Amino acid sequence: GSDHEAILEALSMERGQQNIDASQRQELIQSILAQQREQVANIMECQLENMVLGWIAGRGSGGEGGGATIAVKSDDGTPGGGSNDETEQLAEELEEVLRLTPDQKSRLVKATEGVEQERRAIETVDSCLEAMMAHSWLTNAGVEECAEQFMSILNQGQVSKFLLWTDHNSESIDRLDYVRAPPAGAPPQSGPTFVFGMDEAGAGDDLAD
């Protein structure tokens, strides 16, 4: 679609040279967030399958199935709306189909330990992405204005060089602690290493290869 074409066009140009206005940028952000939610949904589906396997394996052996809690949905799709009889029927059908050996059950229970905590963590990520899509101010409040004030001082060539530098040093930038920065008089501490002179660094990388 048009979003993919815009992304490809931006990637084909030198960093900082593409002309994307605020509305286009917001559309691209929404498209990226939607793609991320699709990936999270795929992970949640796989996680649910793992939870079901752990639940089946732990039934009747005193295990908790990795801590997983399974509730059959009601007819309207509400989780936990199903009866205990429905849950038991589902379990019996799966046990009949899978015919897991005791060794397989033991390994599945062990493999799904902590799966409930992982499920809650994934749901939290999905909720955050959903909120960012529903409330545009979460993605651009203050950021657009601050970036515009800074970028308007630089010419396009300088913006391109700055963005390329941030790309090259992205791992070091991610390690910066913006919240708990040491006081000015604190003794030097080991921290991220930044690379300056990307042309020279690139040449060195080529030689190393």
mmCIF file of all heavy atoms in Angstrom, residues 74-115:
data_model
loop_
_atom_site.group_PDB
_atom_site.id
_atom_site.type_symbol
_atom_site.label_atom_id
_atom_site.label_comp_id
_atom_site.label_asym_id
_atom_site.label_seq_id
_atom_site.Cartn_x
_atom_site.Cartn_y
_atom_site.Cartn_z
ATOM 1 N N SER A 74 -17.045 -18.150 26.779
ATOM 2 C CA SER A 74 -18.480 -18.340 26.635
ATOM 3 C C SER A 74 -18.881 -18.121 25.183
ATOM 4 O O SER A 74 -18.062 -17.780 24.335
ATOM 5 C CB SER A 74 -19.231 -17.359 27.545
ATOM 6 O OG SER A 74 -18.913 -16.029 27.184
ATOM 7 N N ASP A 75 -20.159 -18.285 24.880
ATOM 8 C CA ASP A 75 -20.630 -18.150 23.506
ATOM 9 C C ASP A 75 -20.390 -16.756 22.936
ATOM 10 O O ASP A 75 -20.215 -16.588 21.732
ATOM 11 C CB ASP A 75 -22.129 -18.481 23.429
ATOM 12 C CG ASP A 75 -22.387 -19.953 23.734
ATOM 13 O OD1 ASP A 75 -21.449 -20.759 23.568
ATOM 14 O OD2 ASP A 75 -23.521 -20.282 24.146
ATOM 15 N N ASP A 76 -20.402 -15.719 23.805
ATOM 16 C CA ASP A 76 -20.184 -14.363 23.307
ATOM 17 C C ASP A 76 -18.708 -14.002 23.239
ATOM 18 O O ASP A 76 -18.350 -12.865 22.954
ATOM 19 C CB ASP A 76 -20.923 -13.333 24.183
ATOM 20 C CG ASP A 76 -20.417 -13.345 25.627
ATOM 21 O OD1 ASP A 76 -19.502 -14.133 25.937
ATOM 22 O OD2 ASP A 76 -20.946 -12.556 26.437
ATOM 23 N N GLY A 77 -17.807 -14.989 23.507
ATOM 24 C CA GLY A 77 -16.378 -14.749 23.387
ATOM 25 C C GLY A 77 -15.727 -14.208 24.633
ATOM 26 O O GLY A 77 -14.541 -13.907 24.638
ATOM 27 N N THR A 78 -16.487 -14.098 25.733
ATOM 28 C CA THR A 78 -15.940 -13.577 26.972
ATOM 29 C C THR A 78 -15.075 -14.624 27.656
ATOM 30 O O THR A 78 -15.543 -15.730 27.915
ATOM 31 C CB THR A 78 -17.059 -13.160 27.944
ATOM 32 O OG1 THR A 78 -17.908 -12.226 27.294
ATOM 33 C CG2 THR A 78 -16.474 -12.536 29.198
ATOM 34 N N PRO A 79 -13.796 -14.322 27.945
ATOM 35 C CA PRO A 79 -12.947 -15.312 28.600
ATOM 36 C C PRO A 79 -13.489 -15.683 29.970
ATOM 37 O O PRO A 79 -14.003 -14.850 30.713
ATOM 38 C CB PRO A 79 -11.596 -14.569 28.738
ATOM 39 C CG PRO A 79 -11.647 -13.480 27.718
ATOM 40 C CD PRO A 79 -13.091 -13.079 27.632
ATOM 41 N N GLY A 80 -13.380 -16.953 30.281
ATOM 42 C CA GLY A 80 -13.800 -17.402 31.599
ATOM 43 C C GLY A 80 -15.289 -17.605 31.726
ATOM 44 O O GLY A 80 -15.796 -17.896 32.808
ATOM 45 N N GLY A 81 -16.030 -17.445 30.613
ATOM 46 C CA GLY A 81 -17.476 -17.595 30.695
ATOM 47 C C GLY A 81 -17.948 -19.031 30.616
ATOM 48 O O GLY A 81 -19.092 -19.332 30.885
ATOM 49 N N GLY A 82 -17.040 -19.923 30.220
ATOM 50 C CA GLY A 82 -17.426 -21.316 30.096
ATOM 51 C C GLY A 82 -17.516 -21.990 31.448
ATOM 52 O O GLY A 82 -16.933 -21.556 32.433
ATOM 53 N N SER A 83 -18.236 -23.129 31.492
ATOM 54 C CA SER A 83 -18.408 -23.847 32.741
ATOM 55 C C SER A 83 -17.237 -24.787 32.973
ATOM 56 O O SER A 83 -16.440 -25.071 32.075
ATOM 57 C CB SER A 83 -19.713 -24.643 32.704
ATOM 58 O OG SER A 83 -19.635 -25.654 31.710
ATOM 59 N N ASN A 84 -17.146 -25.312 34.223
ATOM 60 C CA ASN A 84 -16.113 -26.289 34.533
ATOM 61 C C ASN A 84 -16.295 -27.552 33.708
ATOM 62 O O ASN A 84 -15.325 -28.229 33.355
ATOM 63 C CB ASN A 84 -16.138 -26.620 36.022
ATOM 64 C CG ASN A 84 -15.646 -25.449 36.862
ATOM 65 O OD1 ASN A 84 -14.865 -24.636 36.395
ATOM 66 N ND2 ASN A 84 -16.116 -25.381 38.099
ATOM 67 N N ASP A 85 -17.569 -27.910 33.434
ATOM 68 C CA ASP A 85 -17.836 -29.100 32.624
ATOM 69 C C ASP A 85 -17.235 -28.944 31.220
ATOM 70 O O ASP A 85 -16.671 -29.898 30.672
ATOM 71 C CB ASP A 85 -19.345 -29.334 32.510
ATOM 72 C CG ASP A 85 -19.942 -29.776 33.847
ATOM 73 O OD1 ASP A 85 -19.161 -30.235 34.709
ATOM 74 O OD2 ASP A 85 -21.162 -29.645 34.020
ATOM 75 N N GLU A 86 -17.365 -27.744 30.648
ATOM 76 C CA GLU A 86 -16.805 -27.502 29.324
ATOM 77 C C GLU A 86 -15.282 -27.601 29.347
ATOM 78 O O GLU A 86 -14.659 -28.135 28.432
ATOM 79 C CB GLU A 86 -17.228 -26.126 28.809
ATOM 80 C CG GLU A 86 -18.709 -26.021 28.456
ATOM 81 C CD GLU A 86 -19.089 -24.610 28.064
ATOM 82 O OE1 GLU A 86 -18.666 -23.665 28.767
ATOM 83 O OE2 GLU A 86 -19.792 -24.440 27.064
ATOM 84 N N THR A 87 -14.685 -27.060 30.410
ATOM 85 C CA THR A 87 -13.236 -27.119 30.546
ATOM 86 C C THR A 87 -12.760 -28.560 30.667
ATOM 87 O O THR A 87 -11.782 -28.970 30.037
ATOM 88 C CB THR A 87 -12.784 -26.318 31.786
ATOM 89 O OG1 THR A 87 -13.259 -24.975 31.677
ATOM 90 C CG2 THR A 87 -11.271 -26.300 31.896
ATOM 91 N N GLU A 88 -13.472 -29.353 31.467
ATOM 92 C CA GLU A 88 -13.110 -30.754 31.636
ATOM 93 C C GLU A 88 -13.281 -31.527 30.332
ATOM 94 O O GLU A 88 -12.463 -32.389 29.990
ATOM 95 C CB GLU A 88 -13.975 -31.384 32.733
ATOM 96 C CG GLU A 88 -13.601 -30.959 34.138
ATOM 97 C CD GLU A 88 -12.168 -31.348 34.484
ATOM 98 O OE1 GLU A 88 -11.773 -32.509 34.174
ATOM 99 O OE2 GLU A 88 -11.441 -30.519 35.030
ATOM 100 N N GLN A 89 -14.335 -31.194 29.599
ATOM 101 C CA GLN A 89 -14.571 -31.874 28.327
ATOM 102 C C GLN A 89 -13.448 -31.564 27.342
ATOM 103 O O GLN A 89 -12.949 -32.451 26.639
ATOM 104 C CB GLN A 89 -15.920 -31.438 27.741
ATOM 105 C CG GLN A 89 -16.256 -32.141 26.420
ATOM 106 C CD GLN A 89 -17.591 -31.679 25.848
ATOM 107 O OE1 GLN A 89 -18.283 -30.857 26.448
ATOM 108 N NE2 GLN A 89 -17.944 -32.203 24.696
ATOM 109 N N LEU A 90 -13.036 -30.306 27.316
ATOM 110 C CA LEU A 90 -11.929 -29.912 26.441
ATOM 111 C C LEU A 90 -10.655 -30.662 26.809
ATOM 112 O O LEU A 90 -9.938 -31.170 25.945
ATOM 113 C CB LEU A 90 -11.696 -28.403 26.541
ATOM 114 C CG LEU A 90 -10.450 -27.853 25.841
ATOM 115 C CD1 LEU A 90 -10.537 -28.090 24.334
ATOM 116 C CD2 LEU A 90 -10.274 -26.367 26.132
ATOM 117 N N ALA A 91 -10.381 -30.743 28.118
ATOM 118 C CA ALA A 91 -9.172 -31.423 28.585
ATOM 119 C C ALA A 91 -9.186 -32.897 28.200
ATOM 120 O O ALA A 91 -8.184 -33.454 27.736
ATOM 121 C CB ALA A 91 -9.050 -31.264 30.093
ATOM 122 N N GLU A 92 -10.338 -33.542 28.388
ATOM 123 C CA GLU A 92 -10.437 -34.968 28.067
ATOM 124 C C GLU A 92 -10.252 -35.217 26.576
ATOM 125 O O GLU A 92 -9.597 -36.184 26.169
ATOM 126 C CB GLU A 92 -11.798 -35.504 28.533
ATOM 127 C CG GLU A 92 -11.939 -35.563 30.052
ATOM 128 C CD GLU A 92 -13.342 -35.932 30.476
ATOM 129 O OE1 GLU A 92 -14.190 -36.152 29.565
ATOM 130 O OE2 GLU A 92 -13.604 -36.010 31.695
ATOM 131 N N GLU A 93 -10.820 -34.331 25.751
ATOM 132 C CA GLU A 93 -10.675 -34.493 24.304
ATOM 133 C C GLU A 93 -9.219 -34.338 23.885
ATOM 134 O O GLU A 93 -8.715 -35.106 23.056
ATOM 135 C CB GLU A 93 -11.548 -33.468 23.576
ATOM 136 C CG GLU A 93 -13.044 -33.732 23.687
ATOM 137 C CD GLU A 93 -13.860 -32.647 23.013
ATOM 138 O OE1 GLU A 93 -13.245 -31.676 22.512
ATOM 139 O OE2 GLU A 93 -15.099 -32.775 22.980
ATOM 140 N N LEU A 94 -8.531 -33.350 24.444
ATOM 141 C CA LEU A 94 -7.128 -33.135 24.098
ATOM 142 C C LEU A 94 -6.253 -34.286 24.570
ATOM 143 O O LEU A 94 -5.332 -34.715 23.871
ATOM 144 C CB LEU A 94 -6.629 -31.812 24.703
ATOM 145 C CG LEU A 94 -7.130 -30.535 24.020
ATOM 146 C CD1 LEU A 94 -6.694 -29.313 24.806
ATOM 147 C CD2 LEU A 94 -6.620 -30.448 22.584
ATOM 148 N N GLU A 95 -6.539 -34.785 25.770
ATOM 149 C CA GLU A 95 -5.757 -35.915 26.274
ATOM 150 C C GLU A 95 -5.957 -37.143 25.399
ATOM 151 O O GLU A 95 -5.014 -37.912 25.153
ATOM 152 C CB GLU A 95 -6.157 -36.218 27.719
ATOM 153 C CG GLU A 95 -5.662 -35.179 28.715
ATOM 154 C CD GLU A 95 -6.093 -35.513 30.139
ATOM 155 O OE1 GLU A 95 -7.059 -36.284 30.290
ATOM 156 O OE2 GLU A 95 -5.469 -34.998 31.071
ATOM 157 N N GLU A 96 -7.184 -37.330 24.910
ATOM 158 C CA GLU A 96 -7.475 -38.471 24.054
ATOM 159 C C GLU A 96 -6.757 -38.340 22.709
ATOM 160 O O GLU A 96 -6.244 -39.319 22.157
ATOM 161 C CB GLU A 96 -8.996 -38.577 23.822
ATOM 162 C CG GLU A 96 -9.423 -39.711 22.895
ATOM 163 C CD GLU A 96 -9.114 -41.093 23.469
ATOM 164 O OE1 GLU A 96 -9.016 -41.218 24.712
ATOM 165 O OE2 GLU A 96 -8.967 -42.042 22.679
ATOM 166 N N VAL A 97 -6.709 -37.115 22.188
ATOM 167 C CA VAL A 97 -6.067 -36.896 20.885
ATOM 168 C C VAL A 97 -4.548 -36.981 20.986
ATOM 169 O O VAL A 97 -3.887 -37.624 20.159
ATOM 170 C CB VAL A 97 -6.477 -35.513 20.320
ATOM 171 C CG1 VAL A 97 -5.641 -35.173 19.092
ATOM 172 C CG2 VAL A 97 -7.954 -35.504 19.955
ATOM 173 N N LEU A 98 -3.982 -36.361 22.008
ATOM 174 C CA LEU A 98 -2.523 -36.278 22.111
ATOM 175 C C LEU A 98 -1.884 -37.553 22.656
ATOM 176 O O LEU A 98 -0.786 -37.929 22.245
ATOM 177 C CB LEU A 98 -2.135 -35.087 23.004
ATOM 178 C CG LEU A 98 -2.539 -33.705 22.489
ATOM 179 C CD1 LEU A 98 -2.208 -32.635 23.517
ATOM 180 C CD2 LEU A 98 -1.845 -33.396 21.166
ATOM 181 N N ARG A 99 -2.547 -38.190 23.640
ATOM 182 C CA ARG A 99 -2.010 -39.408 24.268
ATOM 183 C C ARG A 99 -0.544 -39.201 24.693
ATOM 184 O O ARG A 99 0.359 -39.922 24.254
ATOM 185 C CB ARG A 99 -2.120 -40.601 23.321
ATOM 186 C CG ARG A 99 -3.555 -40.985 22.986
ATOM 187 C CD ARG A 99 -3.618 -42.222 22.116
ATOM 188 N NE ARG A 99 -4.992 -42.601 21.813
ATOM 189 C CZ ARG A 99 -5.787 -43.325 22.607
ATOM 190 N NH1 ARG A 99 -5.313 -43.757 23.783
ATOM 191 N NH2 ARG A 99 -7.027 -43.622 22.252
ATOM 192 N N LEU A 100 -0.334 -38.186 25.520
ATOM 193 C CA LEU A 100 1.019 -37.864 25.981
ATOM 194 C C LEU A 100 1.540 -38.935 26.932
ATOM 195 O O LEU A 100 0.801 -39.441 27.778
ATOM 196 C CB LEU A 100 1.017 -36.506 26.698
ATOM 197 C CG LEU A 100 0.628 -35.293 25.845
ATOM 198 C CD1 LEU A 100 0.465 -34.068 26.733
ATOM 199 C CD2 LEU A 100 1.652 -35.041 24.750
ATOM 200 N N THR A 101 2.810 -39.273 26.797
ATOM 201 C CA THR A 101 3.442 -40.217 27.718
ATOM 202 C C THR A 101 3.799 -39.480 29.009
ATOM 203 O O THR A 101 3.892 -38.242 29.025
ATOM 204 C CB THR A 101 4.719 -40.798 27.104
ATOM 205 O OG1 THR A 101 5.691 -39.748 26.940
ATOM 206 C CG2 THR A 101 4.420 -41.433 25.746
ATOM 207 N N PRO A 102 4.013 -40.199 30.106
ATOM 208 C CA PRO A 102 4.423 -39.542 31.354
ATOM 209 C C PRO A 102 5.674 -38.690 31.192
ATOM 210 O O PRO A 102 5.781 -37.605 31.774
ATOM 211 C CB PRO A 102 4.651 -40.719 32.310
ATOM 212 C CG PRO A 102 3.749 -41.800 31.790
ATOM 213 C CD PRO A 102 3.761 -41.650 30.309
ATOM 214 N N ASP A 103 6.634 -39.175 30.403
ATOM 215 C CA ASP A 103 7.857 -38.405 30.186
ATOM 216 C C ASP A 103 7.557 -37.109 29.441
ATOM 217 O O ASP A 103 8.103 -36.042 29.771
ATOM 218 C CB ASP A 103 8.870 -39.234 29.387
ATOM 219 C CG ASP A 103 10.146 -38.469 29.096
ATOM 220 O OD1 ASP A 103 10.849 -38.096 30.065
ATOM 221 O OD2 ASP A 103 10.438 -38.220 27.911
ATOM 222 N N GLN A 104 6.703 -37.179 28.441
ATOM 223 C CA GLN A 104 6.336 -35.979 27.693
ATOM 224 C C GLN A 104 5.616 -34.976 28.590
ATOM 225 O O GLN A 104 5.868 -33.767 28.518
ATOM 226 C CB GLN A 104 5.442 -36.358 26.504
ATOM 227 C CG GLN A 104 6.181 -37.056 25.377
ATOM 228 C CD GLN A 104 5.237 -37.472 24.276
ATOM 229 O OE1 GLN A 104 4.133 -37.977 24.513
ATOM 230 N NE2 GLN A 104 5.680 -37.295 23.024
ATOM 231 N N LYS A 105 4.732 -35.469 29.433
ATOM 232 C CA LYS A 105 4.010 -34.574 30.340
ATOM 233 C C LYS A 105 4.981 -33.861 31.285
ATOM 234 O O LYS A 105 4.864 -32.660 31.533
ATOM 235 C CB LYS A 105 2.979 -35.365 31.147
ATOM 236 C CG LYS A 105 1.781 -35.844 30.325
ATOM 237 C CD LYS A 105 0.772 -36.557 31.210
ATOM 238 C CE LYS A 105 -0.454 -36.992 30.413
ATOM 239 N NZ LYS A 105 -1.468 -37.648 31.273
ATOM 240 N N SER A 106 5.930 -34.632 31.811
ATOM 241 C CA SER A 106 6.902 -34.048 32.739
ATOM 242 C C SER A 106 7.724 -32.972 32.064
ATOM 243 O O SER A 106 7.961 -31.892 32.620
ATOM 244 C CB SER A 106 7.819 -35.155 33.278
ATOM 245 O OG SER A 106 8.830 -34.605 34.109
ATOM 246 N N ARG A 107 8.142 -33.228 30.828
ATOM 247 C CA ARG A 107 8.956 -32.252 30.095
ATOM 248 C C ARG A 107 8.138 -31.018 29.720
ATOM 249 O O ARG A 107 8.651 -29.892 29.733
ATOM 250 C CB ARG A 107 9.546 -32.918 28.864
ATOM 251 C CG ARG A 107 10.606 -33.965 29.202
ATOM 252 C CD ARG A 107 10.918 -34.862 28.024
ATOM 253 N NE ARG A 107 11.465 -34.122 26.901
ATOM 254 C CZ ARG A 107 11.726 -34.673 25.706
ATOM 255 N NH1 ARG A 107 11.480 -35.967 25.516
ATOM 256 N NH2 ARG A 107 12.231 -33.946 24.727
ATOM 257 N N LEU A 108 6.867 -31.216 29.380
ATOM 258 C CA LEU A 108 6.010 -30.085 29.035
ATOM 259 C C LEU A 108 5.750 -29.193 30.240
ATOM 260 O O LEU A 108 5.756 -27.961 30.139
ATOM 261 C CB LEU A 108 4.682 -30.584 28.457
ATOM 262 C CG LEU A 108 4.705 -31.032 26.999
ATOM 263 C CD1 LEU A 108 3.390 -31.720 26.631
ATOM 264 C CD2 LEU A 108 4.968 -29.844 26.079
ATOM 265 N N VAL A 109 5.516 -29.804 31.395
ATOM 266 C CA VAL A 109 5.294 -29.021 32.613
ATOM 267 C C VAL A 109 6.520 -28.177 32.928
ATOM 268 O O VAL A 109 6.417 -26.999 33.265
ATOM 269 C CB VAL A 109 4.964 -29.955 33.801
ATOM 270 C CG1 VAL A 109 5.002 -29.175 35.105
ATOM 271 C CG2 VAL A 109 3.590 -30.580 33.609
ATOM 272 N N LYS A 110 7.693 -28.787 32.802
ATOM 273 C CA LYS A 110 8.932 -28.052 33.074
ATOM 274 C C LYS A 110 9.143 -26.941 32.055
ATOM 275 O O LYS A 110 9.580 -25.835 32.402
ATOM 276 C CB LYS A 110 10.118 -29.015 33.057
ATOM 277 C CG LYS A 110 11.440 -28.366 33.435
ATOM 278 C CD LYS A 110 12.563 -29.387 33.508
ATOM 279 C CE LYS A 110 13.876 -28.714 33.913
ATOM 280 N NZ LYS A 110 14.988 -29.711 33.992
ATOM 281 N N ALA A 111 8.838 -27.221 30.789
ATOM 282 C CA ALA A 111 9.060 -26.243 29.718
ATOM 283 C C ALA A 111 8.123 -25.047 29.816
ATOM 284 O O ALA A 111 8.435 -23.967 29.307
ATOM 285 C CB ALA A 111 8.906 -26.910 28.358
ATOM 286 N N THR A 112 6.967 -25.233 30.466
ATOM 287 C CA THR A 112 5.987 -24.141 30.546
ATOM 288 C C THR A 112 5.981 -23.458 31.909
ATOM 289 O O THR A 112 5.047 -22.728 32.236
ATOM 290 C CB THR A 112 4.576 -24.675 30.237
ATOM 291 O OG1 THR A 112 4.293 -25.798 31.095
ATOM 292 C CG2 THR A 112 4.459 -25.094 28.795
ATOM 293 N N GLU A 113 7.015 -23.672 32.704
ATOM 294 C CA GLU A 113 7.115 -22.962 33.985
ATOM 295 C C GLU A 113 7.233 -21.452 33.724
ATOM 296 O O GLU A 113 8.020 -21.019 32.894
ATOM 297 C CB GLU A 113 8.332 -23.460 34.768
ATOM 298 C CG GLU A 113 8.182 -24.867 35.317
ATOM 299 C CD GLU A 113 9.434 -25.324 36.064
ATOM 300 O OE1 GLU A 113 10.427 -24.571 36.057
ATOM 301 O OE2 GLU A 113 9.407 -26.427 36.638
ATOM 302 N N GLY A 114 6.441 -20.684 34.447
ATOM 303 C CA GLY A 114 6.475 -19.231 34.284
ATOM 304 C C GLY A 114 5.713 -18.716 33.083
ATOM 305 O O GLY A 114 5.773 -17.522 32.769
ATOM 306 N N VAL A 115 4.982 -19.594 32.389
ATOM 307 C CA VAL A 115 4.287 -19.175 31.175
ATOM 308 C C VAL A 115 3.194 -18.157 31.474
ATOM 309 O O VAL A 115 2.893 -17.284 30.659
ATOM 310 C CB VAL A 115 3.705 -20.406 30.438
ATOM 311 C CG1 VAL A 115 2.551 -21.022 31.216
ATOM 312 C CG2 VAL A 115 3.264 -20.034 29.030
#
